[in-house]
Each structure stands twice: as structure tokens, then as C-alpha cells.
Amino acid sequence: MPFESRLKAKAADLGFTACGIARADATPHAAERLRAWLAEGAHGDMLWMESRAHHRESPAGLWPEARSVIALGMSYAPREDPMRLAAESTRGRISVYAQGQDYHDIVKKALKALARWMVAEAGGDLKVFVDTAPVMEKPLAEAAGLGWQGKHTNLVSRSDGSWLFLGAIYTTLALEPDEAGRDTCGSCDACQRACPTGAFPAPYRLDARRCISYLTIEHAGPIPEEFCEAIGNRIYGCDDCLAACPWNKFAQAARANMAFAPRAELVAPHLDELLGLDDAGFRQVFAGSPIKRIGRDRMVRNCLIAAGNSGDTGLVEAVRPLLDDANAVVREMAVWAMGRLTKP
């Protein structure tokens, strides 16, 4: 059996539902698109995108010795409708990907195991990456045949829909590449129409500054008032454009890694309980979750927006103490929420 076939079989054994191979130079247009996106300022406060753009533009920019890229995907397809809490105004909505264990830990562990197997079987040097490194995972995954970048700019898979965590292995081995993915979005614009804040100025283009995932996770300051009402009860991320994709009908929750199964306390948390968290309480509730990295202040800020949108005056007593919070952003959003909840 060719090494490439054995590699894919091993990846499947380790929990990856998708595995493909691309040449390290297989994404020649990614650099140009990245530079244009950064020039528009569409990355917002994500200055790390700009500061290491020269590394991100291509595998060779980060590691000149790389000859092949193994792109891998791990399913987190949800068992329940991600939109089911839209009308539950006193509960916070957490993006599907963040309701279970931290995907960084799960995917990287599997990547390292696959890397050890590769070295033992074929030698060569390699590097493993998952999300935190300056790597263009989505264009590489498309080049490796895992799917294609849809109009919402995320990867779409024929078998796993929009629900894939991506990882990559760069290697000095010259491996036989797979056929690149083919865009099959057609005339569909469901993801574009689903966005509550109009974050897509055009198909295949995202303005992160208008994206709820960016605003609730990456953005550290007060949320611009023009977006507050549209955020609704989303307190960490947003699944709307992903959930709208028709290709999700082929995604099977049974293929998802059980580590990503939602924790009971993160499925539909009560806003009043989250608003009362101090730093220690926040760390306890979100231990082992990717949510932990945004910190207590940003989470409480998000919950204040959700509280202000709830229309439930029963939340006033949970909001009131935050008017004197030590954090200025929390105080500002508490004023906004209180104004919404007490207006005539």
C-alpha cells in the first residue's frame, strides 16, 4: 500500500474524518488575497494577522524546507440544531465548537501522534499546526481536497458540511498530492443572508469588524452600539452562517469526536448566573474550554449585551452591581444593558 494511503488510514484511526495532501506551493493566490484583506483593515484588532503576514502567506514563508502539506479535519458536527436557542432570551448562546473540550488540545494531540507515526514510517522533518500558528489552513485544506472555501469563507466539506476543525502538518517529504476541492456553492447565498450584522460585503469576503464571532471573542473593547441588538443572546461566537449551509445535511454527528460533545453547563447557560461570575468563578466554569482564553471581563461584557436584548426585567438585579465593576468596558456595557431593561 502506498505511503499516502497508509497515512490517511492512520489519520482516520486517530479520529480525523478528513485527510488530504497538497504541494507546499499549491496556494499561489492566497498571499494576494491576504494582503488585500489586510489592506482593507477587515481584520480589525487582530494585529497578529498583520504582524506575521509574511509567514502566513505560504508554507514556504514560514518554513522554506516544506515540500508537502498534509491537511486534516476533525468533525464536530452537532447533534442538535445550533439555532434552537434563538428565542430563549434569558439563556446565552455559545458557538457549537466551544461547548466541548478545547479543540486545540484534542487536534494537536492527534496531529503529534500522526507526526510520530510518519517519522517512524518514512522519516523526514515536519511541523504540526492547529489554529494558533500563522498558517492558512482553509486554502491549504481546499488545495488538499478536503472541500472548498464557501461564500462564508469557511471550509465546506461534502461529507462534514461546515463542521470541521482543521490542522496541518508541513513535511520535507515529497508526497503525491490529491486533487484540489471544487467550489460547489453554485448560486446559493444562504450563508450571506443568514448573517445578522451584514459581515459579508460580497461572496467569499468577510469583514471581521462586523462579524459576531470577532466581536464577542477577538475584540477587547466595548461592542459598537450598531451591532449590539443584532448580537441577540450570542455570548461567544456565532453559528448562523455555518448552520445555514445546505451541505450540512450530509454531516453526521456520529462522525464527530466525542471530546467535542457539549458540556451540560455550556449548552444553554442562564445569563444571570454568568453575570455574577468573578475571575475565579469564570476560570472554574470554563476550565478546559476554548472560552477560557477571552477572560471573565469579555464574557461578562457579552452577557450584558444579551441581557440588554432579553427584555427581561428580572435580569436588572444581576446587571446592577456591574455598573460599579472594576473593568471600564464592563461598566459601559452595564449602562447600556440597564438602559435597555429599564426604558419605559
Side-chain angles (χ1 to χ4, degrees), residues 140-160:
L140 289 169
E142 180 177 307
L146 270 61
W148 68 96
Q149 277 192 267
K151 292 179 182 178
H152 53 20
T153 74
N154 290 288
L155 193 79
V156 182
S157 161
R158 284 178 173 270
S159 57
D160 294 293

Side-chain angles (χ1 to χ4, degrees), residues 8 19-22 143-145 176-180:
K8 293 173 184 178
C19 177
I21 299 168
E176 184 67 26
D178 290 297
E179 183 178 348

